[in-house]
Amino acid sequence: MHGTQTARDDEAAFTISPGRRSYVLILLTVIYTLAFIDRQIINILAEPIKADLHLADWQMGALSGFAFALLYTTFGLPAARLTERGNRSWIIAGAVTLWSAFTALSGFANNFVHLLLARTGVGIGEAGCVPAAHSLISDITPKDQRASALAIFSMGLPLGSLVGLAMGGVVAGAFGWRAAFFLVGLPGIALALLTLLTVRDPRPSGRAVTAGGEEVLSATGVFRHLRQRPSFVWMTIGAALLAATGYAHQTFYGSFFLRNHGPALDYWAGVFGLSNRLAFLGIALGLIIGIAGTMGTGIGGRMADRAAAIHPSGYMKVPAWSTLIAIPFLVAAFLVPSAMAALALLLVPHFMKAMWYGPVFACVQGMVAPRSRATAIAVFLFFVNAIGLGMGPVIAGAMSDVLARTMGADEGLRVAMIVFAVMLVAATACFRKAGRTLADDLVS
């Protein structure tokens, strides 16, 4: 059964030419990059939004995490079910159009509720993209290259963070935070049209059973199948803890540096000829997260494919070791007195923390049959984003608010950031645990 399924996978993958496969992968990566520009730009705008709309840290955490995650996770499963039978090109194009429109609407917000509603709309739109993209990439890519291909797609996360933080800081510094939302919301329409015109879904739509006899399982059936795989459970917990730390930190990086290193940021902005500290910080954080994260994502995928060729447990060795190495550098970044030293230290953890995407996503896709892949990644992302994105920034913001009462706003946020960094020890343990049963849990 395993060999037959793998043969069908490879046969489907090679029905598309390598050049066409590369084009689809690059276009989907650009789309995912735009998704993270729209998702992450609010982080560098946190302080000016907070001042303009008179918000607390917990409210900024809710806008950056909970508001987006609420409907991203809720709509992820229905979007995945549509993906199993629908045309994935149309689904991706519609998703891009929707989230881009709501990003632009964020610029019109006049209070917390208005911005909350706009950010939930961004979450609805982005919910339709990842399951369809993962399913499409996995269908057209040979199994032994799947982690690398999904890692390339996942580069959209650090690249989007780079552009979003850098562009957001520069535009907000020159024209205000509202203009930044307007600007990044525009390109989505063009990408949606390009997807419709140039990407053909190679899979027939609307069939309950594939030509190879594979039944399209119900969402309950897919969930039950995954729940019975111990490696999936441990892998999901590990990824959720990583996500909680990552989203909490990225939500408050801007606030942390502005509160703890404000004068130094003014100095370095002057050295580089930039108009203000926010412009410098946005560019610096964007380059750190973008370059280190992109390199870590790509290298992690290639390392995982090579390690898994020896034994499937190799997929989990990559995220386990890389997460562990990241911890001391991350803690040190929040403790050193120098702003430039803190920024430099962030290069290592952002490289290391990005290495999990390719191997983990490849494992999720390999635990189910092809017509269940969109639902499988939606189930995985439901838990990862509900815990990581939905709770991480809110808890970090609330912790910062509570600690600020006795420690001050700058030190309270510092301690909250360190607590989330140390939490990655548990994520490392989860990935190691997942590796022990992974070989028995992979089916395609």
Side-chain angles (χ1 to χ4, degrees):
M1 176 64 182
H2 180 96
T4 302
Q5 185 63 61
T6 301
R8 288 209 302 268
D9 288 350
D10 287 342
E11 182 181 350
F14 288 113
T15 58
I16 296 178
S17 68
R20 189 67 180 170
R21 187 185 308 137
S22 297
Y23 169 77
V24 172
L25 181 58
I26 291 170
L27 178 59
L28 292 177
T29 303
V30 172
I31 289 172
Y32 196 44
T33 300
L34 178 64
F36 264 85
I37 294 173
D38 292 358
R39 187 189 303 189
Q40 295 292 336
I41 192 170
I42 193 172
N43 295 332
I44 195 62
L45 305 177
E47 287 297 288
I49 291 174
K50 181 182 176 182
D52 190 17
L53 302 183
H54 308 290
L55 305 180
D57 278 350
W58 76 264
Q59 289 175 305
M60 290 310 306
L63 290 170
S64 302
F66 181 78
F68 177 88
L70 177 65
L71 292 182
Y72 184 83
T73 54
T74 301
F75 279 81
L77 281 171
R81 297 311 298 163
L82 180 62
T83 296
E84 305 294 20
R85 290 182 170 86
N87 185 299
R88 290 172 287 192
S89 300
W90 280 89
I91 292 169
I92 292 169
V96 177
T97 302
L98 187 61
W99 87 58
S100 298
F102 274 104
T103 298
L105 286 173
S106 299
F108 291 103
N110 290 317
N111 55 51
F112 174 70
V113 174
H114 290 168
L115 195 51
L116 185 74
L117 292 174
R119 299 308 293 174
T120 56
V122 175
I124 294 173
E126 291 192 23
C129 178
V130 174
H134 272 233
S135 173
L136 183 57
I137 291 168
S138 297
D139 279 3
I140 66 175
T141 305
K143 181 181 178 181
D144 60 355
Q145 301 173 28
R146 196 177 292 161
S148 296
L150 289 170
I152 291 172
F153 173 74
S154 299
M155 287 180 183
L157 193 160
L159 288 173
S161 298
L162 187 161
V163 177
L165 290 169
M167 181 187 297
V170 172
V171 174
F175 304 105
W177 63 268
R178 298 180 188 277
F181 281 121
F182 298 147
L183 182 62
V184 301
L186 296 177
I189 306 301
L191 283 175
L193 288 173
L194 188 61
T195 301
L196 290 177
L197 293 173
T198 64
V199 177
R200 183 181 65 84
D201 191 337
R203 186 190 69 190
S205 301
R207 297 183 182 179
V209 180
T210 67
E214 176 202 334
E215 181 183 358
V216 179
L217 295 178
S218 66
T220 304
V222 175
F223 176 73
R224 186 182 304 114
H225 173 86
L226 292 171
R227 187 183 61 188
Q228 294 170 351
R229 269 76 188 156
S231 59
F232 176 82
V233 175
W234 286 111
M235 189 171 62
T236 301
I237 298 172
L241 292 172
L242 257 173
T245 296
Y247 285 120
H249 283 172
Q250 289 196 42
T251 297
F252 291 105
Y253 272 153
S255 298
F256 172 80
F257 278 96
L258 290 170
R259 294 178 193 179
N260 290 275
H261 301 288
L265 296 179
D266 287 331
Y267 170 78
W268 287 108
V271 169
F272 287 99
L274 298 171
S275 60
N276 56 62
R277 63 174 69 174
L278 191 61
F280 169 76
L281 183 60
I283 293 172
L285 287 174
L287 290 172
I288 290 168
I289 296 172
I291 294 174
T294 300
M295 292 177 62
T297 302
I299 292 173
R302 293 182 64 85
M303 287 180 62
D305 276 333
R306 293 180 180 180
I310 300 172
H311 191 273
S313 63
Y315 279 125
M316 288 297 100
K317 290 180 180 179
V318 173
W321 282 106
S322 61
T323 302
L324 185 63
I325 293 170
I327 298 171
F329 291 91
L330 201 53
V331 172
F334 299 123
L335 293 175
V336 294
S338 166
M340 292 302 284
L343 289 168
L345 282 166
L346 287 177
L347 283 166
V348 176
H350 276 282
F351 177 90
M352 292 296 172
K353 291 196 296 104
M355 296 182 76
W356 73 271
Y357 296 116
V360 170
F361 288 149
C363 289
V364 174
Q365 298 292 284
M367 289 181 183
V368 295
R371 271 293 178 106
S372 297
R373 284 173 176 162
T375 304
I377 196 64
V379 170
F380 172 78
L381 291 176
F382 176 88
F383 291 105
V384 170
N385 286 308
I387 296 171
L389 181 56
M391 298 173 62
V394 177
I395 293 174
M399 187 183 301
S400 173
D401 286 334
V402 171
L403 294 172
R405 297 171 187 171
T406 56
M407 305 176 69
D410 51 352
E411 288 302 315
L413 183 56
R414 186 197 305 273
V415 172
M417 301 287 260
I418 291 173
V419 169
F420 271 81
V422 174
M423 189 170 64
L424 293 181
V425 173
T428 298
C430 290
F431 289 130
R432 289 178 60 86
K433 186 78 171 178
R436 296 174 187 172
T437 58
L438 184 59
D440 296 329
D441 293 340
L442 296 175
V443 299
S444 66

